[in-house]
């Protein structure tokens, strides 16, 4: 193999680089006690050729939970590695956030939405919904208990290596967001 071929085989993708930054920033905050990482997934979906890296976290003794995921699909990999991409769409990765809150916070949606819009700088699209299992008990560990609010947010555009500083800040912003939401849960 030539030197050029060896370099291209081991050249990390945008997804790999951003995953390293996100993972490092979050584990540093876990070590500092800002929050507790309660789960980690590193998934490859062979049916869609997509990759997802997800961390689940919460504040110690907290009632609110969060997950942060970095997602990239076949179009992103093909666009980056083979220079084949959809017109007008650059390769990259998206960040997805999910917040699970006690039902007591649901009456404060306007305050929560205003805080999240300010904290996340309008760079995320938000969806709010109430989650309730069919029965009084939740059989799956990943299914929220009765009476929780769920907020899902996804970046409005794709991120690349030029967004490394923003990706580094996600852990800090999640820690601040969880502190704010916990204060609402405690007072509600």
């Amino acid at each position: 193999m030539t030197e050029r071929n060896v370099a291209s085989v081991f050249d990390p993708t945008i997804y790999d680089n951003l995953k390293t930054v996100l993972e490092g920033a979050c584990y540093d905050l876990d070590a500092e006690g800002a929050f507790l990482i309660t789960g980690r997934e590193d998934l490859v979906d062979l049916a869609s050729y997509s990759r997802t890296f997800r961390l689940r976290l919460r504040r110690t003794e907290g009632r609110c939970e969060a997950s942060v995921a970095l997602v990239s699909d076949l179009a992103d990999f093909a666009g980056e590695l083979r220079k084949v991409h959809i017109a007008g769409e650059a390769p990259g990765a998206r960040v997805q956030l999910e917040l699970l809150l006690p039902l007591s916070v649901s009456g404060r949606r306007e305050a929560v939405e205003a805080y999240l819009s300010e904290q996340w700088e309008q760079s995320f699209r938000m969806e709010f919904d109430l989650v309730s299992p069919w029965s009084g008990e939740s059989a799956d560990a990943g299914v929220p208990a009765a009476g929780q609010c769920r907020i899902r947010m996804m970046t409005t555009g794709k991120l690349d290596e030029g967004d490394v500083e923003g990706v580094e800040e996600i852990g800090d912003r999640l820690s601040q967001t969880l502190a704010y939401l916990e204060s609402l849960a405690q007072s509600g």
Side-chain angles (χ1 to χ4, degrees), residues 60-85:
T60 306
E61 307 299 322
R63 295 172 42 198
C64 301
E65 299 175 30
S67 70
V68 57
L70 185 69
V71 180
S72 190
D73 62 23
L74 176 60
D76 297 311
F77 293 116
E80 184 176 1
L81 300 176
R82 299 289 179 231
K83 308 297 185 226
V84 176
H85 53 85

Side-chain angles (χ1 to χ4, degrees), residues 94-124:
R94 293 188 187 274
V95 173
Q96 298 173 341
L97 304 173
E98 184 174 275
L99 304 168
L100 294 173
L101 319 170
L103 187 59
S104 62
V105 179
S106 67
R108 298 183 169 172
R109 178 180 170 164
E110 289 180 15
V112 170
E113 193 168 359
Y115 177 84
L116 292 176
S117 293
E118 181 181 319
Q119 180 74 2
W120 296 95
E121 301 171 359
Q122 301 289 338
S123 58
F124 283 78

Side-chain angles (χ1 to χ4, degrees), residues 139-156:
D140 296 328
V143 176
Q148 285 190 313
C149 305
R150 178 174 48 206
I151 303 167
R152 295 183 205 168
M153 301 187 302
M154 179 182 276
T155 50
T156 54

Side-chain angles (χ1 to χ4, degrees), residues 126-140:
M126 289 184 250
E127 293 178 13
F128 292 75
D129 57 16
L130 296 176
V131 179
S132 178
W134 286 23
S135 66
E137 294 182 7
S138 181
D140 296 328

Side-chain angles (χ1 to χ4, degrees), residues 156-187:
T156 54
K158 291 185 182 178
L159 307 175
D160 61 23
E161 282 99 345
D163 299 301
V164 165
E165 285 183 22
V167 172
E168 285 177 328
E169 294 172 0
I170 287 174
D172 285 327
R173 290 197 283 171
L174 264 176
S175 177
Q176 293 167 11
T177 297
L178 283 172
Y180 172 76
L181 295 172
E182 286 297 339
S183 71
L184 289 181
Q186 299 300 326
S187 66

